[in-house]
Amino acid sequence: MLVYVSREKRPGHDHQKKAGAMNALTRASALLSNSPFILNLDCDHYINNSQALRAGICFMVGRDSDTVAFVQFPQRFEGVDPTDLYANHNRIFFDGTLRALDGMQGPIYVGTGCLFRRITVYGFDPPRINVGGPCFPRLAGLFAKTKFEKKTGWGKEIGWVYDTVTEDVVTGYRMHIKGWRSRYCSIYPHAFIGTAPINLTERLFQVLRWSTGSLEIFFSKNNPLFGSTYLHPLQRVAYINITTYPFTAIFLIFYTTVPALSFVTGHFIVQRPTTMFYVYLGIVLSTLLVIAVLEVKWAGVTVFEWFRNGQFWMTASCSAYLAAVCQVLTKVIFRRDISFKLTSKLPSGDEKKDPYADLYVVRWTPLMITPIIIIFVNIIGSAVAFAKVLDGEWTHWLKVAGGVFFNFWVLFHLYPFAKGILGKHGKTPVVVLVWWAFTFVITAVLYINIPHMHSSGGKHTTVHGHHGKKFVDAGYYNWP
Ligand SMILES: O=c1ccn([C@@H]2O[C@H](COP(=O)(O)OP(=O)(O)O[C@H]3O[C@H](CO)[C@@H](O)[C@H](O)[C@H]3O)[C@@H](O)[C@H]2O)c(=O)[nH]1
Ligand SMILES: [Mn+2]
């Protein structure tokens, strides 16, 4: 039996997008089949493996499975360019993070490719906590009409959660705090396959929506810090991470601009690195290395894919995450609502010559401002440092080289972004490098040739006003 349900959309009534659609479907299917399990797929995903359902059901009916609320499959995508310029495959997240969560209370719900136990959708507690009782949805209204939801728990205690731009994470969270578990199911051939936004603008908007949704959860009554004690302690840590990660933007923007700016101003935050500084640096770097090795090993990705994930993380963090933080703080402080747009679906019908033509479609968005600024700051910073060494103003060129390497490391991470905003021209990687080299040379030449921009010979006697007192910072400019 195949039944197509179209829920009612009434003017002046918020249809709650996907959450509204899922809740209407849940109510309608309760009358049609009331089957104990519900498979949820996005409109842009399809079933790729005929054994997928069986694999998922194994986790639902097997031994000790009565507390499993949902089985989450990884999201797989087709139509992504072979170099995966904007990390659409998101392999570290699906094959690393979700798999690792399976070792605790279970993966988070990511919106599609998910098999649910119907009774959990109705807000019931898992059997060990709730002793007995048949599970029939008292509040399940008839049909897909909006009026059936009025004065009911739909979208609050029951079903997919309303009034958020990402209903998925919070819907899964509400099940986990009741003590339900979830399981991760990854099979090959891939269970389900979907489409991903392959141009930069769409991708940034998608990440903006996800990061906004995550922060919204943090600033709501569903903050994982206050979730019930049924939440596994490490699962709570994971949820805190999932609902706060956009804040990394603030630190990242600091890290990616201040070192380069220091080359221009001559002020360095770390004046003379102490042994303790190197010890901390060593600990931090080796921790990062261990995480990297584990991620590559567990997620089974290549080192190239791993770098792609890092590159896109930096791009997203200094653009979309930053915007998400601003957006949500505005909402929390001024109570302004957040609008969002759906991820655009690939134009169907017309046979395109280049299947990845969409990759280089550039639509301007203010989200691109910060990464562009960061790119320029780092090129200009390195060029000024280079000019200072050439000019004899700075003599410790080896130390300068270390700093310039860091700036290039930042540029390396923003390379896919630069390639993306250059549009069609960016198809050849050389164009990006030529642009960067051009900016570098112009800055260095300007710096050397405009005399008032710098004082040569390394003798600095600038006087600064500081806390009302004047002091000559002698050692301050000694590095490098
Ligand atoms: O009025 C609506 C709007 C959306 N949808 C569904 O919601 C899905 C997600 O929207 P999409 O624009 O494809 O966003 P994506 O960023 O691709 O989706 C990811 O992120 C969303 C949360 O932001 C989750 O809901 C999705 O499951 C997850 O795949 C769509 O495929 C539709 O199936 C509806 O059913 N009704
Ligand atoms: Mn989608």
Side-chain angles (χ1 to χ4, degrees):
M1 178 171 64
L2 177 69
V3 181
Y4 178 86
V5 179
S6 173
R7 49 89 187 240
E8 185 191 45
K9 284 182 178 171
R10 204 181 269 240
H13 179 272
D14 189 350
H15 59 75
Q16 299 287 351
K17 304 175 189 79
K18 178 177 164 179
M22 288 308 298
N23 288 344
L25 279 170
T26 306
R27 289 195 298 271
S29 71
L31 293 172
L32 294 169
S33 72
N34 206 23
S35 85
F37 305 110
I38 301 170
L39 175 67
N40 164 216
L41 290 182
D42 276 359
C43 66
D44 49 6
H45 285 244
Y46 64 85
I47 299 177
N48 180 60
N49 183 336
S50 60
Q51 301 297 307
L53 262 178
R54 178 199 288 208
I57 291 288
C58 285
F59 289 107
M60 290 291 199
V61 296
R63 207 151 54 89
D64 269 346
S65 63
D66 54 347
T67 54
V68 175
F70 60 90
V71 178
Q72 178 66 61
F73 293 75
Q75 293 185 16
R76 304 293 185 204
F77 302 98
E78 63 185 5
V80 175
D81 71 293
T83 64
D84 194 11
L85 200 55
Y86 310 128
N88 277 299
H89 287 305
N90 225 344
R91 291 281 309 274
I92 305 281
F93 174 72
F94 291 119
D95 302 68
T97 311
L98 290 196
R99 185 190 298 272
L101 283 173
D102 198 42
M104 293 186 277
Q105 205 169 340
I108 60 168
Y109 165 47
V110 293
T112 182
C114 193
L115 186 68
F116 283 95
R117 190 183 293 277
R118 184 183 286 268
I119 58 161
T120 38
V121 174
Y122 296 138
F124 284 93
D125 295 335
R128 231 168 281 155
I129 302 160
N130 182 30
V131 203
C135 300
F136 284 108
R138 267 194 301 135
L139 291 167
L142 306 167
F143 310 120
K145 290 243 173 178
T146 53
K147 65 176 179 187
F148 287 103
E149 289 194 339
K150 282 207 180 118
K151 298 201 178 105
T152 68
W154 285 101
K156 290 184 230 69
E157 293 87 43
I158 302 175
W160 276 255
V161 178
Y162 288 164
D163 300 319
T164 161
V165 295
T166 48
E167 72 305 319
D168 43 8
V169 177
V170 66
T171 300
Y173 169 78
R174 294 199 57 83
M175 293 176 178
H176 280 145
I177 54 169
K178 285 201 156 84
W180 288 102
R181 294 181 299 142
S182 57
R183 296 306 304 270
Y184 178 72
C185 182
S186 179
I187 55 170
Y188 197 83
H190 300 320
F192 315 108
I193 293 181
T195 54
I198 64 168
N199 83 65
L200 181 60
T201 314
E202 292 296 337
R203 181 75 167 115
L204 290 180
F205 276 129
Q206 183 184 44
V207 176
L208 172 65
R209 177 153 49 84
W210 290 344
S211 44
T212 304
S214 285
L215 282 179
E216 271 186 323
I217 303 174
F218 189 77
F219 289 106
S220 74
K221 68 174 171 48
N222 292 314
N223 182 316
L225 285 171
F226 309 114
S228 85
T229 47
Y230 288 125
L231 207 57
H232 184 292
L234 286 175
Q235 189 83 15
R236 188 186 305 273
V237 174
Y239 270 114
I240 292 172
N241 178 303
I242 291 154
T243 52
T244 55
Y245 71 86
F247 285 119
T248 54
I250 297 165
F251 303 96
L252 192 76
I253 283 167
F254 188 79
Y255 288 138
T256 50
T257 51
V258 171
L261 286 174
S262 304
F263 276 146
V264 179
T265 60
H267 291 257
F268 292 92
I269 290 182
V270 180
Q271 292 166 35
R272 245 181 249 97
T274 58
T275 322
M276 252 349 247
F277 176 83
Y278 284 116
V279 171
Y280 281 130
L281 194 67
I283 294 174
V284 170
L285 289 183
S286 38
T287 312
L288 288 178
L289 187 73
V290 171
I291 294 174
V293 170
L294 291 180
E295 279 178 344
V296 169
K297 217 169 120 61
W298 288 346
V301 296
T302 61
V303 174
F304 178 82
E305 281 177 297
W306 185 84
F307 273 116
R308 269 284 185 263
N309 277 261
Q311 284 176 318
F312 189 73
W313 174 75
M314 176 143 9
T315 306
S317 184
C318 61
S319 57
Y321 296 0
L322 182 72
V325 171
C326 298
Q327 216 166 229
V328 171
L329 288 185
T330 314
K331 182 188 163 178
V332 171
I333 299 166
F334 303 108
R335 310 225 146 260
R336 283 226 350 233
D337 261 2
I338 295 166
S339 64
F340 87 95
K341 66 191 261 321
L342 288 179
T343 310
S344 76
K345 308 287 173 265
L346 274 183
S348 56
D350 51 328
E351 280 288 308
K352 280 190 189 152
K353 277 226 177 72
D354 179 0
Y356 310 118
D358 201 41
L359 189 65
Y360 292 107
V361 173
V362 197
R363 264 193 311 113
W364 168 255
T365 144
L367 288 178
M368 292 170 177
I369 294 173
T370 14
I372 292 175
I373 292 177
I374 292 174
I375 288 176
F376 275 108
V377 164
N378 280 279
I379 296 178
I380 291 169
S382 320
V384 168
F386 182 72
K388 282 182 178 177
V389 171
L390 263 192
D391 219 23
E393 190 178 331
W394 281 347
T395 44
H396 297 75
W397 65 269
L398 203 68
K399 282 187 181 170
V400 175
V404 170
F405 175 78
F406 181 80
N407 294 358
F408 279 16
W409 189 236
V410 173
L411 290 175
F412 160 78
H413 277 88
L414 289 174
Y415 171 77
F417 170 82
K419 214 172 160 202
I421 56 167
L422 283 176
K424 282 212 163 47
H425 313 288
K427 276 186 180 178
T428 39
V430 182
V431 179
V432 178
L433 301 178
V434 167
W435 268 107
W436 285 2
F438 181 74
T439 317
F440 185 92
V441 172
I442 293 284
T443 315
V445 169
L446 278 181
Y447 186 85
I448 295 173
N449 289 303
I450 300 177
H452 61 266
M453 269 180 77
H454 64 294
S455 55
S456 57
K459 290 177 218 75
H460 301 279
T461 48
T462 328
V463 177
H464 289 268
H466 184 70
H467 294 299
K469 272 187 266 163
K470 296 229 166 199
F471 71 97
V472 181
D473 38 9
Y476 204 61
Y477 288 146
N478 279 352
W479 195 92

